[in-house]
Amino acid sequence: MVEIFNSNLKHYIANELKKQSMNYSEDLGLRGNFILLSNRIRRTPIAQKRNVIESSAFNCPQEHMLAYQKFIHLVESGSSLLRFCSRKNFKKPYEANDPLFDDWGIAHFHFAETGTEQVMFAIVEPETIFLLAVFPHGKGYGDVWYKKQLIEIVHNEFPSLIAHLKLNDSKKITTTEDHRSARKLGLNIPVVLNDGSSYYPTGLGIMSNKESAHDNMAWMHLSRQIEAYAQYTSKHIEGAPYGFGIGISKLSFSLGFAYDQQQQLFFVQCKSSSGVVISL
């Protein structure tokens, strides 16, 4: 059953990647394509209406004001924001990762589809996008991806977004270089702010192979569900003529999948060929 259910998952992933203008890569395998899809979905917000909240530190450059107003309209009207996301999504879609997003859960958006030096840094929630600040990026601005100021803004103005990740206060304030070195080594360290407040990496951190820890946990969560349904259907298939109202030779099972953007996890539904939905 696992082989059949993995085939169902492969079909689902391939269809979802097409929606992202990407193709399933046989070279990456099932897990690799899942990690790619999970990361892409989280980094490119699902198109739906959202409120916009600016921090007190957010300051749109005058030369981008018209573009910014257009961006706000797209957010509030529920349009796709894909074309304003990281350029890596288009230049190297199968290789791109975003350490700032994976480590701290902070996305960045360009002011124009062609890309801009100044970019907006934000946390995107299902109903709201929190705009934190505008900073230049690119050559000469490598430190922007380790700017602890971004977490300081969240801590001071939107603390509820990261309250569940708060740790005991610490006297050792972390620096830009601390976070740069940790990411280079694939290590996760707390973010210790100027007032001593300490947080677990607010994007759940990265792994030693530089993959997102969140995406890896999402894979394990989904794999456990698939294995549980495989064991259940295999164990009870002998009782199929009685339990499902169909001859055992004609009985089959398949899995359907859905993404919950609130939890940022994928969930499974199992259905028999007789139409019976199985929930575990």
Side-chain angles (χ1 to χ4, degrees):
M1 294 304 296
V2 171
E3 292 80 5
I4 294 173
F5 291 166
N6 282 343
S7 177
N8 297 153
L9 177 60
K10 179 179 179 179
H11 181 72
Y12 170 79
I13 292 173
N15 284 339
E16 292 302 307
L17 284 173
K18 283 182 180 179
K19 296 177 184 179
Q20 300 285 339
S21 301
M22 303 173 72
N23 294 317
Y24 187 97
S25 171
E26 295 293 344
D27 292 338
L28 292 176
L30 186 63
R31 179 186 180 280
N33 280 278
F34 173 84
I35 295 293
L36 180 67
L37 174 63
S38 177
N39 199 260
R40 185 66 175 257
I41 287 178
R42 294 193 305 116
R43 288 168 52 196
T44 54
I46 293 172
Q48 66 177 50
K49 293 181 180 179
R50 289 181 172 85
N51 299 315
V52 177
I53 298 179
E54 298 178 357
S55 78
S56 60
F58 187 87
N59 184 25
C60 176
Q62 191 59 41
E63 65 267 28
H64 293 310
M65 187 57 69
L66 289 178
Y68 175 62
Q69 292 173 350
K70 177 182 177 182
F71 177 82
I72 295 300
H73 173 72
L74 292 174
V75 173
E76 293 178 339
S77 63
S79 301
S80 172
L81 303 178
L82 175 60
R83 56 190 182 275
F84 299 99
C85 294
S86 171
R87 301 299 91 190
K88 288 183 180 179
N89 286 333
F90 310 102
K91 294 178 181 178
K92 296 182 178 180
Y94 295 93
E95 301 175 19
N97 61 355
D98 187 336
L100 173 63
F101 179 79
D102 293 339
D103 198 10
W104 291 350
I106 296 175
H108 69 279
F109 298 94
H110 293 257
F111 286 97
E113 298 176 32
T114 53
T116 52
E117 182 179 80
Q118 300 275 346
V119 293
M120 298 172 276
F121 290 88
I123 289 181
V124 181
E125 294 286 302
E127 297 181 356
T128 306
I129 180 168
F130 296 86
L131 297 173
L132 308 178
V134 175
F135 293 118
H137 81 312
K139 188 175 181 179
Y141 298 104
D143 285 355
V144 73
W145 310 117
Y146 314 97
K147 250 187 196 309
K148 197 175 62 177
Q149 181 184 347
L150 294 167
I151 304 295
E152 295 273 6
I153 292 170
V154 181
H155 168 68
N156 290 324
E157 302 196 28
F158 313 117
S160 63
L161 296 179
I162 56 176
H164 61 294
L165 296 168
K166 198 170 189 310
L167 305 172
N168 293 330
D169 290 355
S170 172
K171 294 181 180 180
K172 186 184 183 304
I173 310 302
T174 52
T175 65
T176 294
E177 189 54 42
D178 290 333
H179 293 288
R180 187 205 313 276
S181 299
R183 285 189 201 162
K184 186 176 181 179
L185 295 171
L187 300 175
N188 294 313
I189 62 173
V191 186
V192 184
L193 306 179
N194 295 337
D195 66 359
S197 296
S198 178
Y199 291 92
Y200 188 80
T202 49
L204 297 187
I206 57 176
M207 300 174 62
S208 58
N209 63 359
K210 308 302 169 57
E211 288 180 349
S212 158
H214 182 286
D215 296 331
N216 184 63
M217 287 188 286
W219 168 253
M220 292 190 292
H221 175 264
L222 184 63
S223 297
R224 284 193 293 267
Q225 291 183 79
I226 292 174
E227 182 63 30
Y229 278 110
Q231 290 180 3
Y232 179 87
T233 52
S234 296
K235 180 179 179 181
H236 294 278
I237 198 167
E238 293 183 0
Y242 307 101
F244 297 97
I246 188 171
I248 190 169
S249 62
K250 297 180 181 180
L251 182 66
S252 63
F253 297 92
S254 63
L255 296 184
F257 302 88
Y259 180 69
D260 183 325
Q261 67 165 323
Q262 188 73 44
Q263 299 184 60
Q264 297 188 338
L265 293 172
F266 294 80
F267 290 89
V268 178
Q269 183 182 72
C270 183
K271 183 181 290 187
S272 74
S273 51
S274 65
V276 175
V277 175
I278 303 169
S279 297
L280 297 180

